[in-house]
C-alpha cells in the first residue's frame, strides 16, 4: 500500500527524486543534497531518507554503469574506510534525535552547503591525500543522516584537481559505495519498510528519467546558472526547516 501523502508531499517527493537523478547522472551528486531537506518540508525527515535510499541504489546502478572505468581507483580506496566509519557513527547517533532535531540539523547542513558553494576558495595547491579519511567520515555521516554526502567529498576531491570526467565517475563510485553501506542499518532501524518500499518502486521511472536527463544535460546546461539556482534553493529550504524545527 502506498503512503497516504498529500498532493503537495507527492509533488515534492517526485521533484526531489528527479532532481537527484539529474544530479547523479551528470553533476557528481552534489545537487541531490537538496532532496531530503525538500521532502522534509512535507513528511518526516527520517521517513524521507528511508523512502529515498532504494531509489538512490537504483540511480547508482545506472550511474556507475555509465561512468565505470573513468574513476580514480586510488582515491576511491582512500575514501572507503572513512565512509564506513561515518555510517557507523550515524547508526549510533540517529536514535538520539527526534524529527525536529533532524530537521534542525538538516537546516544547518543546507545552509552550510549553500555557504560552501557560495564562498569556496578558488583552487590552490592540491590538498594532501590523508584528508580522504576525514572527508570520508563526514560523507558517511551526512549521507547516513540525509543522503547529503556531497559537500564533504567535494571539499576533498575538488582541490585534488581531477579531470571533470574522472571527478564525476569517482563521485559516482563513492556514493554507490556509501549507499550500499547504509542499506543494512536502514533496514535494521526500520527506516525502510513495506510502505516506503512501495513508494520507492513507484518512483523508479522518475529516478531513471532523472539520471538519463543528467547524462544528457551534462554537456548542454549552463553549469554556473544551475549551481546558483541550487545554492538559492538550499538556503531557502534550510531556513524553512530551521523555522519549522524551532517553531
Amino acid at each position: 500500500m502506498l503512503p497516504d501523502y498529500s498532493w503537495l508531499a507527492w509533488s515534492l517527493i517526485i521533484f526531489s527524486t528527479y532532481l537527484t537523478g539529474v544530479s547523479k547522472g551528470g553533476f557528481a551528486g552534489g545537487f541531490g543534497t537538496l532532496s531530503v531537506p525538500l521532502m522534509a518540508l512535507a513528511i518526516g525527515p527520517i521517513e524521507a531518507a528511508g523512502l529515498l535510499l532504494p531509489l538512490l541504489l537504483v540511480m547508482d546502478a545506472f550511474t556507475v554503469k555509465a561512468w565505470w572505468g573513468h574513476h580514480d581507483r586510488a582515491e576511491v580506496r582512500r575514501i572507503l574506510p572513512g565512509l564506513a566509519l561515518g555510517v557507523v557513527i550515524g547508526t549510533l547517533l540517529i536514535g538520539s534525535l527526534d524529527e525536529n532535531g533532524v530537521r534542525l540539523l538538516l537546516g544547518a547542513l543546507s545552509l552550510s552547503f549553500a555557504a560552501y558553494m557560495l564562498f569556496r576558495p578558488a583552487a590552490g595547491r592540491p590538498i594532501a591525500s590523508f584528508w580522504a579519511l576525514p572527508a570520508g567520515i563526514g560523507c558517511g555521516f551526512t549521507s547516513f543522516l540525509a543522503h547529503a554526502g556531497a559537500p564533504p567529498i567535494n571539499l576533498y576531491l575538488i582541490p585534488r584537481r581531477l579531470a571533470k570526467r574522472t571527478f564525476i565517475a569517482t563521485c559516482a563510485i563513492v556514493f554507490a559505495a556509501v549507499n550500499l553501506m547504509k542499506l543494512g542499518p536502514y533496514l535494521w532501524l526500520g527506516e525502510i519498510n513495506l510502505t516506503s518500499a512501495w513508494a520507492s518502486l513507484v518512483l523508479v521511472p522518475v529516478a531513471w528519467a532523472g539520471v538519463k536527463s543528467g547524462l544528457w544535460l551534462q554537456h548542454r546546461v549552463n553549469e554556473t546558472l544551475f549551481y546558483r539556482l541550487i545554492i538559492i534553493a538550499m538556503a531557502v529550504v534550510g531556513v524553512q526547516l530551521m523555522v519549522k524545527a524551532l517553531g
Side-chain angles (χ1 to χ4, degrees):
M1 180 180 292
L2 289 173
D4 186 22
Y5 295 145
S6 68
W7 67 268
L8 175 61
W10 276 113
S11 298
L12 289 172
I13 289 168
I14 290 170
F15 175 71
S16 298
T17 301
Y18 180 76
L19 179 64
T20 302
V22 171
S23 178
K24 278 186 167 290
F27 299 94
F31 311 129
T33 305
L34 180 60
S35 297
V36 172
L38 195 58
M39 288 186 190
L41 293 174
I43 64 177
I46 296 174
E47 184 180 3
L51 188 155
L52 192 56
L53 181 58
L55 291 168
L56 290 175
L57 292 171
V58 171
M59 295 178 202
D60 287 334
F62 293 132
T63 307
V64 169
K65 182 180 178 181
W67 290 103
W68 183 260
H70 300 293
H71 59 288
D72 188 315
R73 295 181 181 181
E75 294 290 10
V76 172
R77 286 195 298 269
R78 292 185 190 106
I79 293 168
L80 283 177
L83 294 180
L85 285 172
V87 169
V88 170
I89 293 169
T91 303
L92 295 175
L93 293 183
I94 191 67
S96 63
L97 297 171
D98 62 13
E99 285 200 348
N100 279 332
V102 175
R103 281 194 179 96
L104 189 63
L105 192 50
L106 279 178
L109 284 173
S110 298
L111 290 173
S112 298
F113 178 79
Y116 158 71
M117 294 301 294
L118 189 61
F119 299 113
R120 61 181 177 176
R125 294 177 57 189
I127 64 173
S129 60
F130 66 77
W131 288 105
L133 180 62
I137 293 172
C139 176
F141 176 71
T142 55
S143 182
F144 186 90
L145 182 68
H147 308 311
I153 288 301
N154 286 343
L155 282 168
Y156 170 70
L157 283 181
I158 288 175
R160 294 289 289 173
R161 296 183 180 177
L162 302 177
K164 180 182 177 183
R165 176 178 289 189
T166 305
F167 172 73
I168 295 173
T170 302
C171 286
I173 303 300
V174 167
F175 296 142
V178 75
N179 287 332
L180 281 172
M181 292 177 187
K182 284 151 41 180
L183 182 59
Y186 268 49
L187 289 168
W188 178 59
L189 292 167
E191 293 191 33
I192 297 176
N193 51 52
L194 191 58
T195 301
S196 70
W198 273 111
S200 299
L201 184 63
V202 168
L203 291 164
V204 166
V206 179
W208 176 84
V211 172
K212 289 294 185 180
S213 297
L215 292 169
W216 183 83
L217 282 169
Q218 184 212 159
H219 300 297
R220 296 170 175 85
V221 75
N222 183 325
E223 201 166 335
T224 300
L225 176 61
F226 197 51
Y227 269 100
R228 287 174 181 171
L229 291 174
I230 295 299
I231 291 169
I232 293 170
M234 287 296 292
V236 170
V237 170
V239 170
Q240 289 180 322
L241 281 171
M242 296 185 81
V243 168
K244 189 169 185 177
L246 298 171

